[in-house]
Amino acid sequence: MKRYIPVLFFCFFTSHLFSQADRSEDFYFSSMEEEVLSLLEEARELGDENPAEKLQLAMDAYEISVTESFLQLQVDSQTLMGIAYFQLQEIEKSLQSLNQSLLMAEGINYIDGSWQSFYMLGLVHNFLGDSEKSISFFENADQLILDENDLKHIYVLRELAIVYQYERMFELAISRAENALLMAGNLEDENSIIELSHLLGEIEFQAGNIRTANNLFSDIIARTSVTGEHQLIRASAHSFMGKCYALLGDYHMALANAQDALLLSVKNGEDEGRLDAYDSLAFTYQHMDDFERAYINLQLYFKQKELLEQDKNTGNLDKIKAYYGTFEKEREIDQQQVLIESQNRLILLGALMIALLAVMILIFFLLYKKNSRIADRLSHDLKREMVLSKTDPVTGLPNRKEIEDLIQKSINSWKKDPRSFSILLISFEEYRKVDTQWGEGAGEKLQKFIGKLLETELKGQDTIAVWKPFLFMILLPETDRESLQSVRHKINMRFSREKYNYDVGEISLEFHMGSSTYSGDESRSACVDRCKRELEEARD
């Protein structure tokens, strides 16, 4: 979507750029000039629905412009040819046409033509993943704009923000997007305001500025309606808000927004919106530690993504077929005549080959079905293992599910051999938002530091696990209440004198502890709940 929307805006913009040119009474358009202008206007109005027809119209306009020496119209025709080739994914031909139009525009000092070529070259190189060239072309286009509130300036800033976002240069991306949004506000261009607000919110989210991103997406919801335009952007805003609220710990609002995104996408038949909604739901359930529902929505996400990619591939194939159908029609006719003659001579052999082919197709179909079932089963097992993994991905320590299983095993062992064991919860949850305060990645580094300290301090049969981010649980086998107090004192002394060095400076770690010793007549959850209650009392 991001690759082609700028081209649509570009075609819309250029159609108005030249139709609004001042025409004095002495300005004379010949019938040939009018014909070229008509061809170019018709080509621009096609958008990206029929790039093969657009290319043919642009070529016709270029041929007339060359014959009649209409230099500016040659530039415009070459640029539209470059756009059509780009939409047909003929990238080499697109670059060739756009470079030629730029060279000619600069040769005749045609400013608008140069801007068109620079802008489109920036889009094509962004599509190719060459960010350095893309930024250079967009900045050259920007330098040609004299009016700060020109729509062209907004388009260039928007594309620069997208390139910087892709390169994870978030500060530059935010700066460009904010400037574009300010200009759109000055022009009171509601469509641009909504689109740029979404882009800026997406960048802020990736940069870790969750509350800022949430406010931007909330503004989009306020500016749009469930029955008006911008349904895809509104659904996407709901999906992002679901993720924002999940990160902020408001799971009720997170689920409400993700479900609104799904309902809106289903209602309007927006497959991309449905994909984002499933992603948001899986993200939220994962943060709620509801792995079963997270896995269900991951399955829906991958299935929807597969269907969406099939639709895109089919659409691209249709465009390419139309393109080659336009330029190779005579060749197809000749090939069909040869084919008919060959079929008349070899009809008996053809029948035999068809029968053999049918058998081969049946065999390949059965093999395909068998392989598909195996692949689906392997994919299902892999995704399940990914969600239900027993290792915390940040610290490498056992996760909540693993230690719950170990506690249950200890309870089962106690019934046969009553040996005391205890559990200990240590909370560092005051540091959950360090990514926002200290920078991206700070939280993971701090959790690893805490995990290493605990591993150093507690060796042997003790099991250290991550219950959830910044909340660690320790299973202490053969540990009664008296021994438990000794362990607590030992941990308290170690962390009290330990300092954590980070870019922000040296800090002392603040933490709280809660513990419980298994009584022999309670369930696993009851033992854990006693530990949690003691932790809550320590916090208060």
Side-chain angles (χ1 to χ4, degrees), residues 210-267:
I210 306 304
R211 293 191 183 278
T212 303
N214 197 45
N215 291 337
L216 286 163
F217 293 125
S218 297
D219 183 61
I220 292 174
I221 301 302
R223 286 179 176 272
T224 58
S225 66
V226 293
T227 58
E229 299 178 357
H230 311 294
Q231 294 302 297
L232 180 57
I233 290 181
R234 182 182 176 91
S236 179
H238 273 303
S239 295
F240 270 106
M241 286 178 69
K243 291 184 178 180
C244 289
Y245 279 119
L247 290 172
L248 294 172
D250 190 341
Y251 300 126
H252 175 75
M253 289 297 294
L255 288 175
N257 276 278
Q259 289 164 355
D260 284 346
L262 181 59
L263 290 173
L264 192 59
S265 301
V266 171
K267 176 184 176 183

Side-chain angles (χ1 to χ4, degrees), residues 111 123 201 210 213 217 250 293 326 338 362 366 391 425 452 457 470 527:
I111 302 299
L123 288 179
I210 306 304
F217 293 125
D250 190 341
R293 291 181 179 174
T326 302
V338 173
L362 178 60
L366 294 175
T391 302
L425 271 175
K452 290 294 183 184
E457 197 66 27
F470 294 98
C527 184

Side-chain angles (χ1 to χ4, degrees), residues 341-390:
E341 293 174 0
S342 176
Q343 288 174 342
N344 289 334
R345 291 193 302 267
L346 304 173
I347 188 168
L348 294 177
L349 180 60
L352 178 60
M353 292 179 66
I354 290 173
L356 291 174
L357 181 61
V359 174
M360 291 178 65
I361 290 174
L362 178 60
I363 293 173
F364 283 131
F365 175 77
L366 294 175
L367 289 173
Y368 169 79
K369 295 292 290 184
K370 179 180 178 180
N371 291 336
S372 295
R373 288 194 297 270
I374 294 173
D376 289 342
R377 186 170 65 253
L378 291 174
S379 176
H380 177 274
D381 293 343
L382 179 61
K383 292 172 185 175
R384 184 171 182 83
E385 285 297 319
M386 178 181 67
V387 175
L388 300 179
S389 172
K390 294 186 177 183

Side-chain angles (χ1 to χ4, degrees), residues 147-396:
D147 184 358
E148 285 295 320
N149 289 323
D150 195 323
L151 276 174
K152 293 185 292 186
H153 197 50
I154 295 177
Y155 299 154
V156 172
L157 288 174
R158 177 189 183 277
E159 294 307 315
L160 281 169
I162 291 173
V163 177
Y164 285 129
Q165 177 192 14
Y166 176 78
E167 292 296 324
R168 302 189 68 80
M169 302 167 68
F170 295 127
E171 185 174 346
L172 290 172
I174 290 171
S175 173
R176 299 302 188 276
E178 285 178 340
N179 288 340
L181 183 58
L182 180 61
M183 293 175 189
N186 292 336
L187 294 173
E188 298 182 355
D189 186 343
E190 190 66 19
N191 290 335
S192 295
I193 290 172
I194 292 171
E195 183 198 354
L196 290 167
S197 295
H198 187 278
L199 173 61
L200 182 56
E202 185 178 342
I203 297 170
E204 294 280 12
F205 180 85
Q206 289 182 295
N209 303 326
I210 306 304
R211 293 191 183 278
T212 303
N214 197 45
N215 291 337
L216 286 163
F217 293 125
S218 297
D219 183 61
I220 292 174
I221 301 302
R223 286 179 176 272
T224 58
S225 66
V226 293
T227 58
E229 299 178 357
H230 311 294
Q231 294 302 297
L232 180 57
I233 290 181
R234 182 182 176 91
S236 179
H238 273 303
S239 295
F240 270 106
M241 286 178 69
K243 291 184 178 180
C244 289
Y245 279 119
L247 290 172
L248 294 172
D250 190 341
Y251 300 126
H252 175 75
M253 289 297 294
L255 288 175
N257 276 278
Q259 289 164 355
D260 284 346
L262 181 59
L263 290 173
L264 192 59
S265 301
V266 171
K267 176 184 176 183
N268 292 281
E270 297 287 358
D271 293 334
E272 290 187 10
R274 190 180 302 181
L275 186 69
D276 291 340
Y278 288 138
D279 182 43
S280 182
L281 284 166
F283 184 87
T284 300
Y285 282 123
Q286 181 184 359
H287 280 72
M288 294 171 64
D289 294 337
D290 190 341
F291 295 118
E292 183 177 354
R293 291 181 179 174
Y295 174 64
I296 291 172
N297 281 280
L298 275 175
Q299 283 186 309
L300 294 171
Y301 170 85
F302 285 115
K303 183 64 176 178
Q304 185 65 31
K305 186 176 182 180
E306 180 182 350
L307 293 173
L308 192 59
E309 288 176 350
Q310 287 177 357
D311 291 341
K312 287 183 178 178
N313 291 336
T314 301
N316 290 334
L317 181 61
D318 291 341
K319 292 178 182 178
I320 293 171
K321 284 181 178 178
Y323 166 57
Y324 284 107
T326 302
F327 292 97
E328 298 186 2
K329 186 175 292 184
E330 293 182 359
R331 184 180 175 185
E332 278 188 8
I333 293 173
D334 293 338
Q335 289 176 341
Q336 287 175 357
Q337 291 175 344
V338 173
L339 181 61
I340 291 172
E341 293 174 0
S342 176
Q343 288 174 342
N344 289 334
R345 291 193 302 267
L346 304 173
I347 188 168
L348 294 177
L349 180 60
L352 178 60
M353 292 179 66
I354 290 173
L356 291 174
L357 181 61
V359 174
M360 291 178 65
I361 290 174
L362 178 60
I363 293 173
F364 283 131
F365 175 77
L366 294 175
L367 289 173
Y368 169 79
K369 295 292 290 184
K370 179 180 178 180
N371 291 336
S372 295
R373 288 194 297 270
I374 294 173
D376 289 342
R377 186 170 65 253
L378 291 174
S379 176
H380 177 274
D381 293 343
L382 179 61
K383 292 172 185 175
R384 184 171 182 83
E385 285 297 319
M386 178 181 67
V387 175
L388 300 179
S389 172
K390 294 186 177 183
T391 302
D392 177 65
V394 174
T395 62

